[in-house]
Amino acid sequence: MKTTRPVSTLQFTLMVSAFQISVAFLSLPRELARQAGTDGWIAIFFGWGMATLASVVLVKVMKNSPNGSILELIQRFMGVWASKIAAVIFIAYYLPLAYDGFMIASLVMKLWLLPSTYIYVLVLLLLIPTYQIAQHGFQAIGRYCEIVTLISIWIPFVYLSTLRHAHWLYLLPVLKEGWLPVLSTVKIMFFPMVGIGLVFFIYPHLVNKEKALKAMVISNTLTCLVYLGITLVCFVYFSPDEIGEFNDPVISIMKSIELQFIERVEVPFIAFYLFVFSCVWIPSMHLVSMNSAWLLGRGGERGSLVVWCFAIAVSFFIYKPSFIDAARVNNFLNLTGFVMEFALPLCLLLYVAIAKKVRGGRRS
């Protein structure tokens, strides 16, 4: 693979972190509270640990294919048909991720901003800039993530302003029901940490491949700091009995903020958060088109992207999803995310190590 559009370490770090934050930022505090109460924030540290260990495995796998994606690595060690099957599997994984992103974004927009607008119209409006960015590859997506990060720096300070209404006693006592509820909540952290699998396809484009692991550790740390911050803010603002009742506590908390020049603070917040949320479906759509082009032969990524964008628009026109459907898709992605980004890398690393040892023995 010729790296005609290299990706810097900063772009790679922000791509992974933005991907992770966008998938679960709105729902994570609610899900943690429902499973482990106000002790749910402890599970975030376990999520960071699992993602970091998986990142080590991912980078070790890709070191065996420094100039090619995971598909070329699989083709080299398992054959052409195995790489074709892998491409289908990756399409089946990243397409629901993109669909879930469009679904939640359109539902939130319809609920809070544009209640009279059809969901398929909102999705169509989101697909236009998605195509414009995704067609230019990872370098353009990386630059987009840099811009999104810059224009989103103000959001954490807005949440810090809500701490004047905080009730810190809601967090006490720590581990009020022991470790069992916290440990049982760790499984929820698989979906919020998906995104580390991007290294499968971005690694050959990296300018400094030796810094890939460091970049992934930094991105996982940034993600967990964001998750920890917003979770604690929600936990000390809402009572333990009511936080699980809010569908979007991250947005609902904005109602406590009063500014003289803005009547509803949540409106510009949602508008800005759409940029953050797009960091999950834009790279996902690019990866879907990339794997589709691999199935059909070299090239043709833009054509595949057009087809998939059209398919998503039609799907939302035919079927109108709800928040219940979004929850079901999230549960599905939590399981598939564990398989694709935590279990699969370990299996590939073991297979490659055994294959290299066997081939080395044959040479001798």
Side-chain angles (χ1 to χ4, degrees), residues 20 46-56 193 196 216 220 342:
Q20 293 171 325
F46 289 94
W48 176 86
M50 293 186 300
T52 302
L53 291 176
S55 298
V56 174
M193 299 309 296
I196 54 177
M216 294 191 72
N220 290 332
F342 291 86

Side-chain angles (χ1 to χ4, degrees), residues 24 28 34 43 62 67 81 102-103 113 167 178 234 293 313 332 343 349:
L28 185 62
R34 287 178 177 177
M62 293 311 299
N67 298 315
W81 283 106
F102 284 118
M103 178 167 51
L113 300 181
H167 299 277
C234 290
F332 168 76
L349 182 62

Side-chain angles (χ1 to χ4, degrees), residues 48-311:
W48 176 86
M50 293 186 300
T52 302
L53 291 176
S55 298
V56 174
V57 176
L58 282 161
V59 173
K60 284 185 175 295
V61 170
M62 293 311 299
K63 283 183 178 180
N64 294 282
S65 181
N67 298 315
S69 69
I70 186 64
L71 297 178
E72 290 163 304
L73 174 67
I74 292 175
Q75 179 175 307
R76 180 154 57 92
F77 282 92
M78 303 182 192
V80 175
W81 283 106
S83 67
K84 299 288 186 180
I85 295 173
V88 174
I89 293 174
F90 282 114
I91 292 173
Y93 173 58
Y94 283 106
L95 187 60
L97 271 174
Y99 184 87
D100 181 66
F102 284 118
M103 178 167 51
I104 295 178
S106 59
L107 287 171
V108 170
M109 289 173 63
K110 184 174 179 60
L111 177 64
W112 293 90
L113 300 181
L114 302 168
S116 301
T117 307
Y118 292 110
I119 287 181
Y120 69 87
V121 175
L122 298 175
V123 173
L124 183 61
L125 293 175
L126 294 174
L127 280 169
I128 296 173
T130 297
Y131 172 78
Q132 293 296 327
I133 300 172
Q135 67 173 327
H136 296 293
F138 289 118
Q139 187 183 67
I141 297 173
R143 291 175 177 174
Y144 176 75
C145 290
E146 287 180 313
I147 296 173
V148 170
T149 302
L150 288 175
I151 65 175
S152 304
I153 292 178
W154 63 275
I155 295 179
F157 296 100
V158 173
Y159 280 107
L160 289 177
S161 67
T162 64
L163 293 179
R164 66 181 183 273
H165 303 292
H167 299 277
W168 295 98
L169 292 178
Y170 288 159
L171 299 177
L172 299 177
V174 179
L175 297 175
K176 55 183 70 65
E177 297 182 10
W179 281 100
L180 185 59
V182 175
L183 295 177
S184 64
T185 308
V186 173
K187 63 180 183 294
I188 296 177
M189 290 304 301
F190 290 126
F191 181 56
M193 299 309 296
V194 298
I196 54 177
L198 291 176
V199 72
F200 275 149
F201 299 94
I202 301 179
Y203 188 83
H205 300 276
L206 291 177
V207 176
N208 297 312
K209 294 181 175 60
E210 65 278 2
K211 295 183 179 180
L213 180 57
K214 180 180 178 181
M216 294 191 72
V217 172
I218 294 174
S219 64
N220 290 332
T221 303
L222 288 174
T223 299
C224 287
L225 287 176
V226 172
Y227 283 154
L228 183 63
I230 190 59
T231 300
L232 289 176
V233 167
C234 290
F235 281 5
V236 299
Y237 179 83
F238 298 103
S239 70
D241 296 327
E242 68 176 347
I243 185 172
E245 302 300 324
F246 287 89
N247 191 56
D248 296 311
V250 175
I251 299 177
S252 298
I253 200 174
M254 288 287 181
K255 293 183 178 180
S256 65
I257 302 173
E258 297 180 359
L259 298 176
Q260 294 181 353
F261 54 92
I262 299 179
E263 183 177 356
R264 296 179 59 194
V265 179
E266 66 270 18
V267 172
F269 165 78
I270 296 173
F272 271 92
Y273 188 70
L274 284 176
F275 289 103
V276 179
F277 212 55
S278 66
C279 291
V280 63
W281 68 65
I282 291 177
S284 293
M285 290 299 294
H286 175 65
L287 288 173
V288 169
S289 64
M290 183 178 176
N291 283 275
S292 299
W294 179 272
L295 286 175
L296 300 175
R298 298 284 180 173
E301 291 186 12
R302 292 189 178 183
S304 299
L305 182 61
V306 171
V307 172
W308 285 115
C309 287
F310 179 76

